[in-house]
Amino acid sequence: MEDMINFKTLPQHSSSWLKGRYTLYKYKGFWNSQKFHEWAFLAHKTFKPNPSDVIISSCPKTGTTWLKALTFAIVTRNKFDESTNPLLTTIPHECIPLLEREFEQIEYNRINNNPDFIPFIATHLPYNSLPESVVSSNCKIVYIYRNTKDVVVSNYQFFRKACKVAEEEACFEDAFDEFCQGISWYGPYWDHILGYWKASLERPQEVLLMKYEDMKRDARSNVKRLAEFIGHPFTIEEEKEGVIECIVKLCSFENLSNLEVNKSGVHSPVGSNGVENHLYFRKAEDGDWEKYFTDEMKEKIDELMDQKMEGTGLVLK
């Protein structure tokens, strides 16, 4: 493995709809910013997980915040009650750190036996870009994916606001065309999904795929399924007492988006300029894409995803 990435030799793209404020580089088949490529590269070389670790994985804007909140609430349900859970005062992204940006903090917590540390780690890395140590450790991986058209809109709105570009100045058609070319944060989106889908077929005991829309449609059953997979199943007594429903309510968009920390706080991990927390809680709606897509756009991306997902049984419309 090389000692560093030579960004001068990589394909790069500065988005016109973001007024050149965000540049992506393509490295080993996927697009990302230089800083995130560097962090991921370092994590790949040095991170060593424990078999008990659980990896929460996703492509950006596919339900990451919600999955982190649900996972954290499941694991800590016997440690906190409804009034003391850290999710009430801390954004979910700080409850479960991101591997490629905060792996040093993860290692520090583990080495120093931080009593508040839980062995859950998030990542946006494609499956084939995960550190080899993660795959060989046989730790559990939970992956969430979402309707492609809503992902396109969520990406557009998040990065537009993060880069402080007014909507009337950010051409949605350009953002859409980029996405269809595979140019997006950690994209191409379809390759990201396919990597984890294939892994779930090869290693069903270690890799679980969860669909955002299915989770919204039946949150209770999917939270129960998630808890069983990560090794923290609910007891019969907990189910009778409504513990699952309490977790679903605590982690709901309506609850989290109205908490003061998520309305006015800023997520600023080491090495980051910071992102306002409210940007992680936009709408969480299915079908919001209909306000943005023309008939031609819908037809184009449906055909693209049908082609990319052929033979998988995965539906991303």
Side-chain angles (χ1 to χ4, degrees):
M1 186 174 182
E2 63 263 51
D3 294 326
M4 61 184 295
I5 303 172
N6 185 355
F7 287 93
K8 293 180 180 179
T9 65
L10 300 181
Q12 63 176 282
H13 180 86
S14 294
S15 300
S16 61
W17 59 279
L18 290 176
K19 308 305 176 186
R21 297 175 191 175
Y22 198 73
T23 299
L24 296 176
Y25 295 84
K26 192 173 186 180
Y27 178 65
K28 293 192 173 179
F30 286 87
W31 294 90
N32 216 330
S33 68
Q34 178 172 337
K35 182 58 70 175
F36 271 86
H37 272 310
E38 290 172 341
W39 283 330
F41 184 81
L42 188 56
H44 199 284
K45 292 180 64 177
T46 62
F47 180 66
K48 304 235 179 314
N50 292 326
S52 59
D53 287 345
V54 175
I55 308 297
I56 305 300
S57 185
S58 63
C59 208
K61 317 315 301 171
T62 60
T64 309
T65 307
W66 188 28
L67 181 59
K68 281 186 176 184
L70 287 170
T71 306
F72 184 83
I74 290 169
V75 176
T76 61
R77 65 184 185 270
N78 295 319
K79 190 173 183 179
F80 306 108
D81 59 32
E82 293 179 43
S83 63
T84 61
N85 195 293
L87 289 170
L88 298 173
T89 55
T90 309
I91 189 170
H93 296 300
E94 294 184 6
C95 293
I96 298 182
L98 189 71
L99 171 62
E100 55 268 33
R101 183 172 58 195
E102 298 158 297
F103 70 93
E104 291 181 343
Q105 184 64 44
I106 294 168
E107 289 297 293
Y108 177 85
N109 287 333
R110 179 179 283 145
I111 293 171
N112 290 278
N113 296 314
N114 184 340
D116 295 324
F117 177 71
I118 61 173
F120 284 69
I121 300 158
T123 185
H124 289 312
L125 289 174
Y127 185 79
N128 291 336
S129 294
L130 289 173
E132 295 173 7
S133 57
V134 170
V135 178
S136 62
S137 72
N138 290 323
C139 56
K140 297 288 183 72
I141 299 173
V142 181
Y143 182 78
I144 188 170
Y145 66 100
R146 186 183 185 187
N147 175 346
T148 307
K149 293 189 283 291
D150 280 326
V151 173
V152 173
V153 172
S154 189
N155 263 287
Y156 166 76
Q157 291 291 9
F158 180 84
F159 285 102
R160 179 188 67 74
K161 293 175 181 177
C163 292
K164 303 189 183 308
V165 179
E167 189 160 8
E168 58 271 19
E169 296 179 2
C171 179
F172 178 72
E173 289 79 4
D174 289 347
F176 171 82
D177 287 341
E178 280 186 2
F179 199 96
C180 289
Q181 295 171 43
I183 303 172
S184 63
W185 199 28
Y186 289 91
Y189 181 48
W190 48 86
D191 285 343
H192 204 288
I193 296 171
L194 287 172
Y196 283 93
W197 171 75
K198 290 175 182 176
S200 73
L201 297 181
E202 296 167 356
R203 306 171 56 216
Q205 301 303 314
E206 285 83 34
V207 183
L208 172 68
L209 261 62
M210 304 193 77
K211 188 177 182 181
Y212 178 84
E213 289 79 14
D214 290 346
M215 292 174 67
K216 287 197 68 178
R217 193 174 300 113
D218 187 357
R220 187 186 190 281
S221 294
N222 279 283
V223 167
K224 182 178 178 180
R225 177 184 175 215
L226 173 61
E228 291 172 352
F229 182 79
I230 63 177
H232 292 264
F234 295 99
T235 64
I236 294 175
E237 291 74 17
E238 285 179 318
E239 291 193 45
K240 290 180 178 178
E241 293 169 0
V243 173
I244 299 178
E245 286 79 6
C246 287
I247 287 176
V248 171
K249 182 179 179 180
L250 170 66
C251 300
S252 69
F253 176 82
E254 292 74 21
N255 183 57
L256 292 180
S257 64
N258 283 308
L259 296 174
E260 187 59 34
V261 64
N262 295 326
K263 290 194 293 185
S264 60
V266 176
H267 180 44
S268 301
V270 175
S272 170
N273 293 326
V275 175
E276 294 173 89
N277 290 352
H278 71 88
L279 296 185
Y280 295 103
F281 299 90
R282 192 177 69 87
K283 285 189 176 181
E285 291 181 1
D286 297 339
D288 187 46
W289 62 267
E290 293 181 9
K291 302 172 186 175
Y292 297 82
F293 277 60
T294 63
D295 291 341
E296 290 76 17
M297 286 178 175
K298 177 183 182 302
E299 182 178 353
K300 179 178 180 178
I301 202 157
D302 281 349
E303 288 181 356
L304 175 64
M305 296 312 295
D306 282 345
Q307 175 190 349
K308 299 296 184 181
M309 297 294 119
E310 185 178 5
T312 66
L314 300 179
V315 179
L316 287 101
K317 296 181 180 179

